[in-house]
Amino acid sequence: QSVLTQPPSASGTPGQRVTISCSGGSSNIGKYHVYWYQQFPGTAPKLLIYIDNQRPSGVPDRFSGSKSGTSASLAISGLRSEDEADYYCAAWDDSLGAVFGGGTKLTVL
Amino acid sequence: EVQLLESGGGLVQPGGSLRLSCVASGFTFSSSVMSWVRQAPGKGLEWVSTIKVGGGTTFYADSVKGRLTISRDDSKNTLYLQMDSLGVDDTAIYYCVRDPTGYGGADYWGQGTLVTVSS
C-alpha cells in the first residue's frame, strides 16, 4: 500500500481534459514539493512536473500540476493517444524518505 | 547530454550479494544528489536510497535498511549500490537517478538494470 494514493486507472477520449489525483499527508505533500512522472511500457520514467507545477523543458503545456494542502493533481488537456502511459506522483516524507504513489494507468479511448 | 548508465544486474540466489554501478556523464556529478529507485516486475516505483553531495549523508527505505549500501566515487563519476542478503522481494529493475533537489525529484533516469533474486 503506497503512502501517496492515486487512482489505479483513468481514461478519456482524444481532446478531453483528464485529471489524476494524488493524496498524501502533512508529512509529505503537506510539507514538500510534488513531482509527477510519465512511464511508457518497457522504458524508464520521465519527469513530467517538478516543484508542484513546473514543467521541464520539452514537456508540452498540455500537462499541468497543482497542489493544495495534502493533495496534488496532474491535469492533461487536449488528450492525445500518445499520452497513454502510467503516471506516478512523488514527494519527500519526513519519516520514510521519498515516497511514490501507486501509479495511474491512463487509457485514451 | 546527461547520461546515466547502470550495470551489474543479473541473477543471484537468495541471501547473495550484488553490486550495481552507475556511470554518469553530461553534468557535474560531484555536485549532484543521486538516488536509486526500483520497480518490481509489473509493479510501481519504489525509492531505495539517496546520497547527498560529498557522500557523508545517506537515506534508505526501511525495506532495504541494513542490507543495501549506497556510495559514490566522484573521481570516477560513479554511483554504487552494494546489495547484500538479497531476498526475492528485491527482484526489480534498479534505476539510477539524479535528484537535484535532494527531496525526491528525479530529473534524469538511467535505463535501469534488472536484478533477479531466485534459486
Side-chain angles (χ1 to χ4, degrees):
Chain A
Q1 194 153 346
S2 303
V3 174
L4 304 183
T5 301
Q6 296 180 236
S9 63
S11 63
T13 56
Q16 261 190 334
R17 183 175 187 270
V18 171
T19 61
I20 297 172
S21 61
C22 176
S23 176
S26 59
S27 62
N28 42 70
I29 292 179
K31 194 172 181 179
Y32 298 99
H33 292 304
V34 176
Y35 303 85
W36 289 92
Y37 302 95
Q38 178 189 57
Q39 185 180 33
F40 297 106
T43 68
K46 166 192 164 184
L47 181 65
L48 204 59
I49 297 289
Y50 67 102
I51 308 181
D52 301 335
N53 56 20
Q54 302 298 301
R55 280 187 309 276
S57 173
V59 173
D61 59 7
R62 301 186 297 105
F63 294 89
S64 62
S66 64
K67 187 178 92 168
S68 178
T70 59
S71 293
S73 291
L74 172 71
I76 309 172
S77 60
L79 195 64
R80 305 174 70 160
S81 58
E82 57 259 41
D83 297 332
E84 191 161 286
D86 294 326
Y87 294 85
Y88 295 89
C89 61
W92 190 261
D93 183 276
D94 278 336
S95 303
L96 302 173
V99 289
F100 286 91
T104 298
K105 183 177 183 62
L106 176 63
T107 302
V108 181
L109 303 170
Chain B
E1 180 193 4
V2 171
Q3 287 196 334
L4 297 168
L5 188 60
E6 303 98 333
S7 62
L11 175 63
V12 60
Q13 291 189 334
S17 297
L18 214 54
R19 188 176 85 155
L20 306 184
S21 299
C22 169
V23 177
S25 60
F27 65 98
T28 306
F29 179 79
S30 60
S31 301
S32 299
V33 178
M34 300 296 296
S35 299
W36 290 97
V37 175
R38 69 183 181 183
Q39 187 171 34
K43 302 296 185 183
L45 301 172
E46 180 188 17
W47 170 76
V48 173
S49 181
T50 294
I51 187 166
K52 298 284 191 175
V53 171
T57 301
T58 57
F59 302 95
Y60 295 94
D62 287 342
S63 58
V64 307
K65 207 170 290 184
R67 301 187 300 113
L68 274 57
T69 304
I70 192 171
S71 63
R72 62 192 300 159
D73 185 339
D74 291 342
S75 68
K76 296 181 178 179
N77 285 355
T78 302
L79 178 72
Y80 300 101
L81 186 66
Q82 176 65 41
M83 310 172 72
D84 299 316
S85 303
L86 286 165
V88 294
D89 289 345
D90 295 314
T91 295
I93 296 172
Y94 285 74
Y95 295 103
C96 165
V97 305
R98 187 180 82 164
D99 182 353
T101 68
Y103 287 100
D107 61 351
Y108 288 100
W109 297 64
Q111 86 290 345
T113 186
L114 177 62
V115 172
T116 303
V117 184
S118 175
S119 54

